[in-house]
Amino acid sequence: QLQLQESGPGLVKPSETLSLICTVSGGSISSSGYYWGWIRQPPGKGLEWIGSIYYSGNTYYNPSLKNPVTISVDTSKNQFSLKLTSVTAADTAMFYCARGPARIRGFDIWGQGTMVTVSS
Amino acid sequence: DIQMTQSPSSLSVSVGDRVTITCRASQSISSYLNWYQQKPGKAPKLLIYAASSLQSGVPSRFSGSGSGTDFTLTISSLQPEDFATYYCQQSYSTPMYTFGQGTKLEIK
């Protein structure tokens, strides 16, 4: 059974880079027909799609985000990662990684989420 | 950008009620609309994809309908475990997605 697990620092200073890793177990991140995405949720608020990477390596980012974002994949470790630069307190959120089958055009398997606080 | 607007933002309901949640897109999105359920402290769970297709393992009391700009999620008979927040998500501009702001079901 496929599982996703987010990992990374729970506290990041303002202006620094937020870096998270999503480890995929129970299946290959290189399987065709899947996107691998990052979604965040500020405390008490709704969901915001950050970006996705396709199994082929193509990346897609939310154009509404103010900060530069980079999503990359490490097939040797069955992981994909998120880098969000120049963070501010407004970037404080629960961050989820998720699998997105192309046929569903959404996310069917999610990690449990990791809380990241931006504070000095 | 495609904007998604859900109504109502919250709803006070009782076990056994028939519940309908609405999601409206700022432009036509055909049937590219998904619904998720999120319980406190948990990740969202996919309920419905492509407007009306039930995700595997989801109880049949959940159903979705609509196309174009107007969509509904219906719970035919609310169960205690259904108290949660529900989100719609457009996938017309896949893989660039937008979520609605959420609808919270509260106990009356």
Side-chain angles (χ1 to χ4, degrees):
Chain A
Q1 182 174 351
L2 193 87
Q3 293 184 314
L4 290 80
Q5 178 69 57
E6 305 88 349
S7 59
L11 181 64
V12 179
K13 290 183 168 55
S15 80
E16 295 189 345
T17 296
L18 183 159
S19 296
L20 296 175
I21 291 173
C22 182
T23 301
V24 179
S25 59
S28 173
I29 201 170
S30 300
S31 297
S32 63
Y34 292 98
Y35 294 92
W36 303 91
W38 288 96
I39 302 98
R40 69 179 178 180
Q41 185 172 37
K45 296 189 177 181
L47 302 165
E48 180 179 40
W49 173 75
I50 298 171
S52 297
I53 186 164
Y54 198 40
Y55 78 102
S56 61
N58 291 345
T59 51
Y60 307 87
Y61 302 119
N62 187 335
S64 301
L65 291 179
K66 297 179 176 63
N67 326 49
V69 177
T70 303
I71 295 175
S72 59
V73 64
D74 186 337
T75 55
S76 67
K77 295 182 179 178
N78 225 31
Q79 297 174 335
F80 63 106
S81 64
L82 169 71
K83 291 188 187 301
L84 186 64
T85 61
S86 306
V87 296
T88 69
D91 294 306
T92 293
M94 181 71 79
F95 285 78
Y96 297 99
C97 61
R99 184 186 79 165
R103 67 176 181 86
I104 285 180
R105 301 165 76 120
F107 298 106
D108 67 342
I109 299 176
W110 295 62
Q112 66 185 24
T114 187
M115 184 67 199
V116 179
T117 300
V118 179
S119 174
S120 56
Chain B
D1 289 8
I2 301 174
Q3 306 300 318
M4 307 302 294
T5 304
Q6 290 182 233
S7 59
S9 296
S10 64
L11 194 55
S12 293
V13 293
S14 301
V15 172
D17 284 353
R18 181 180 180 87
V19 175
T20 299
I21 299 169
T22 298
C23 180
R24 175 165 288 176
S26 59
Q27 66 180 72
S28 176
I29 57 171
S30 185
S31 295
Y32 297 115
L33 192 284
N34 301 328
W35 289 99
Y36 299 83
Q37 175 194 67
Q38 186 180 33
K39 296 181 179 179
K42 300 293 187 182
K45 172 187 175 182
L46 179 66
L47 299 176
I48 302 283
Y49 63 95
S52 60
S53 296
L54 195 67
Q55 172 69 347
S56 176
V58 173
S60 58
R61 63 181 179 272
F62 291 93
S63 64
S65 64
S67 66
T69 59
D70 295 318
F71 302 86
T72 59
L73 172 71
T74 299
I75 309 172
S76 60
S77 179
L78 197 73
Q79 298 302 299
E81 61 267 30
D82 300 335
F83 288 97
T85 299
Y86 293 82
Y87 293 93
C88 63
Q89 171 239 316
Q90 67 81 16
S91 57
Y92 179 81
S93 55
T94 194
M96 303 175 75
Y97 305 129
T98 315
F99 292 91
Q101 83 277 17
T103 295
K104 184 176 182 180
L105 296 189
E106 299 173 318
I107 300 174
K108 183 181 289 183

